[in-house]
């Protein structure tokens, strides 16, 4: 299992900034990039997450052990797939109509968003997490292991070792983990699902997942896409 020391975040919006802060607090070296010139985000990064390194995508990717995609889902194809070759990648994205526009122009109707992101970054290993909890909750509800107020995040992907590595990373950022080993299960965190927006303890989150009728929800989502 690899040892994560350097965290790279593509996306300097609200989620990216919060995750950068959590990673810094956990002792990681953090690089973060935004859209356009580095000078556009450097002052923001200096003020909001002092210690994080504002830089270009290529530098973030080249000098990080793990990459977090924290950009609007509609823009992931703006990143050349080859840049992430061989990288462990966290998909922290979800489709959101206010930022991404018409769903059918962003996503095909027959698979989940993370499956499509993985298909595009086909030489990377993708794990989905940080998707269902709002950025305010992520920022305010991180707690040390054993704290009764600690919340949990859903972590899923197809590659067991990568999922376990990301789960350990999530633990260091202050959250318990409910782990699955099927990337398609990421549909449970997409908008419209019972988990979207959830900020729950491990027991409560696992209970929701255990009672989650993925097949039925999948049918509803598929029907909704066709309307």
């Amino acid at each position: 299992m690899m040892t994560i020391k350097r965290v790279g975040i593509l996306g300097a919006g609200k989620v990216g900034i919060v995750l950068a802060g959590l990673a810094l607090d956990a002792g990681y070296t953090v690089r973060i990039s935004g859209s356009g010139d580095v000078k556009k985000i450097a002052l923001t990064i200096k003020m909001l997450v002092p210690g994080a390194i504002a830089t270009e995508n290529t530098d973030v990717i080249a000098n990080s052990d793990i990459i977090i995609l924290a950009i609007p889902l509609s823009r992931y194809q703006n990143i050349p797939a080859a840049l992430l070759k061989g990288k462990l990648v966290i998909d922290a994205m979800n489709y959101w109509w206010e930022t991404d526009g018409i769903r059918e122009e962003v996503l095909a109707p027959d698979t989940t968003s993370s499956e499509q992101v993985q298909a595009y970054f086909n030489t990377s290993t993708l794990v989905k997490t940080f998707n269902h909890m709002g950025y305010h909750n992520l920022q305010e509800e991180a707690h040390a292991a054993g704290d009764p107020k600690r919340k949990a995040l859903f972590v899923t992907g197809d590659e067991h070792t990568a999922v376990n590595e990301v789960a350990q990373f999530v633990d260091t950022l202050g959250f318990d983990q409910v782990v699955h080993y099927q990337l398609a299960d990421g549909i449970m965190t997409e908008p419209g699902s019972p988990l979207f927006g959830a900020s729950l303890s491990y027991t409560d989150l696992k209970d929701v997942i255990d009672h989650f009728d993925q097949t039925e929800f999948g049918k509803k989502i598929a029907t909704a896409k066709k309307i």
Side-chain angles (χ1 to χ4, degrees), residues 62-139:
N63 293 290
S64 299
D65 302 314
I66 191 168
I67 304 296
I68 301 174
L69 296 176
I71 58 178
L73 181 64
S74 55
R75 299 179 192 169
Y76 75 88
Q77 292 187 355
N78 291 349
I79 302 169
L83 279 181
L84 292 176
K85 182 178 181 180
K87 289 290 184 177
L88 174 56
V89 178
I90 292 177
D91 177 11
M93 304 180 293
N94 263 329
Y95 166 78
W96 191 242
W97 66 272
E98 290 182 336
T99 54
D100 295 318
I102 299 171
R103 186 183 181 103
E104 288 76 8
E105 295 180 359
V106 179
L107 295 169
D110 54 347
T111 60
T112 66
S113 64
S114 286
E115 288 177 286
Q116 293 178 55
V117 175
Q118 175 68 92
Y120 176 74
F121 295 110
N122 60 5
T123 57
S124 309
T125 303
L126 200 77
V127 177
K128 189 178 183 78
T129 192
F130 301 122
N131 305 84
H132 61 80
M133 191 182 291
Y135 69 91
H136 280 304
N137 297 114
L138 287 168
Q139 184 174 42

Side-chain angles (χ1 to χ4, degrees), residues 119-200:
Y120 176 74
F121 295 110
N122 60 5
T123 57
S124 309
T125 303
L126 200 77
V127 177
K128 189 178 183 78
T129 192
F130 301 122
N131 305 84
H132 61 80
M133 191 182 291
Y135 69 91
H136 280 304
N137 297 114
L138 287 168
Q139 184 174 42
E140 297 167 4
E141 297 184 356
H143 296 285
D147 191 313
K149 295 182 291 185
R150 187 159 152 118
K151 300 300 177 64
L153 288 167
F154 186 54
V155 182
T156 192
D158 291 332
E159 212 286 314
H160 285 218
T161 301
V163 172
N164 294 341
E165 184 77 14
V166 170
Q168 184 178 2
F169 173 67
V170 168
D171 180 65
T172 66
L173 264 57
F175 300 92
D176 289 335
Q177 321 90 50
V178 176
V179 173
H180 278 209
Y181 295 105
Q182 187 170 346
L183 190 60
D185 286 354
I187 195 171
M188 297 187 197
T189 67
E190 292 188 12
S193 76
L195 287 186
F196 185 71
S199 180
L200 302 170

